[in-house]
Amino acid sequence: TGDLGFATLTSATGLSRYDERGQRDQTDLLLSFEYGYEDFPSFSAFTLEEGRQERLSQEIRLVSTDTGPLNWIGGLFYNTAKSNFTSSEFVPGFPEFAEIDRPDNLEYFSSDDTRFTERAVFGEIGYRLTPEWQVTAGGRYFQFRQLTSSGFALPLIDGSAPDVVAVTAQANGVKDASFIYKFNTSYQIRPSILSYATISQGYRSGGVNSVPPCLDPLPDGQNVCALPDEVLIQPDTTLNYELGVKTVWFGGRLSVNGDIYYIDWKDVQVGGRTENGEVPITVNGARAASQGVEIAVVG
């Protein structure tokens, strides 16, 4: 942070790294596909999941220090992330049972490389119309881009050599830009009672599911792919309404705050699965609403 006289400058930098290594039982899932695995009396399957994600974020923000009726905030935001994840699925003993030359027991392999970048500019202006009444308006304009290269291999059925994993990769990309706003007004009814009302928008960026698109026409046999309506994830948005009051009692020894709110949520992002291969993906639902009352008492 730094004091520039007319404003306070804040710079915030974040750097993170996430590493993953784990296993998951896949026995019941593969048996449900009826690929012939059920003929092997000792059939079992498990996956080895490995991955890493690195993320860098940077925000620069100016906040006015003027004590007059006008106050403001302005800033820039940048966020970038890159990740690589792989999934290896093994079926111990099945290659020998089916007379397939695959000593590593590898049944399925997938890889996913993703690059994500977001840029934004934001600001807010507040003005005190009277000593008791203030109005505030703010907005945020942003752009994001995601590039994903994903692929898979089915070594037990694709005819590859025992020491080869023939990954079929497919690149996909998505980008978008949008603007969201916020309006707020507050009124000091008494020195100890403040009322307020807010209307604001929320936005969550979309993206690309890390599953290769299906071929058209779809080949016979085992397929692990995303249909055209399973590839992209659309952004979801909210429109939020809030009406509340903040109060202080007994010389500040007790505070009671309360509000009522309503949230209209469109294109809700929820978990789903592909029709071919039942790979977990994110899909868009239709619409949802959240409404309620909140009360907080501190003494």
Side-chain angles (χ1 to χ4, degrees), residues 26-203:
Q26 291 286 82
T27 306
D28 292 343
L29 176 65
L30 292 185
L31 287 176
S32 69
F33 288 155
E34 298 183 355
Y35 289 147
Y37 297 138
E38 62 273 14
D39 297 332
F40 181 34
S42 301
F43 180 81
S44 64
F46 66 92
T47 64
L48 173 62
E49 313 283 354
E50 296 180 294
R52 168 174 291 183
Q53 182 185 76
E54 296 177 340
R55 183 179 296 274
L56 169 68
S57 65
Q58 174 65 49
E59 180 176 316
I60 297 176
R61 184 173 63 253
L62 282 173
V63 180
S64 65
T65 56
D66 193 344
T67 58
L70 179 69
N71 61 85
W72 53 267
I73 298 172
L76 301 171
F77 177 77
Y78 176 78
N79 178 34
T80 183
K82 60 180 181 179
S83 62
N84 175 261
F85 290 90
T86 63
S87 177
S88 304
E89 193 168 82
F90 300 93
V91 288
F94 183 80
E96 292 87 348
F97 172 79
E99 298 181 351
I100 299 173
D101 189 13
R102 196 76 210 186
D104 59 6
N105 296 306
L106 187 63
E107 187 268 343
Y108 169 80
F109 177 84
S110 67
S111 65
D112 171 71
D113 256 316
T114 299
R115 300 291 184 269
F116 178 85
T117 303
E118 178 187 7
R119 297 176 175 88
V121 56
F122 59 90
E124 183 176 289
I125 297 177
Y127 191 79
R128 191 171 296 280
L129 298 172
T130 70
E132 298 82 18
W133 184 18
Q134 174 167 302
V135 294
T136 303
R140 178 185 180 94
Y141 176 78
F142 57 93
Q143 300 174 332
F144 77 88
R145 177 191 297 267
Q146 179 178 327
L147 298 174
T148 297
S149 177
S150 56
F152 72 98
L154 300 167
L156 292 188
I157 64 173
D158 65 11
S160 58
D163 57 348
V164 173
V165 180
V167 176
T168 302
Q170 175 71 44
N172 280 294
V174 63
K175 61 180 180 179
D176 195 14
S178 188
F179 175 82
I180 58 176
Y181 62 81
K182 168 188 173 182
F183 295 107
N184 170 268
T185 184
S186 62
Y187 191 84
Q188 196 82 44
I189 300 174
R190 292 171 51 185
S192 60
I193 302 177
L194 174 71
S195 62
Y196 66 91
T198 301
I199 300 176
S200 63
Q201 289 181 309
Y203 181 99

Side-chain angles (χ1 to χ4, degrees), residues 17 206 212 233 245:
R17 193 181 82 181
I233 308 167
V245 62

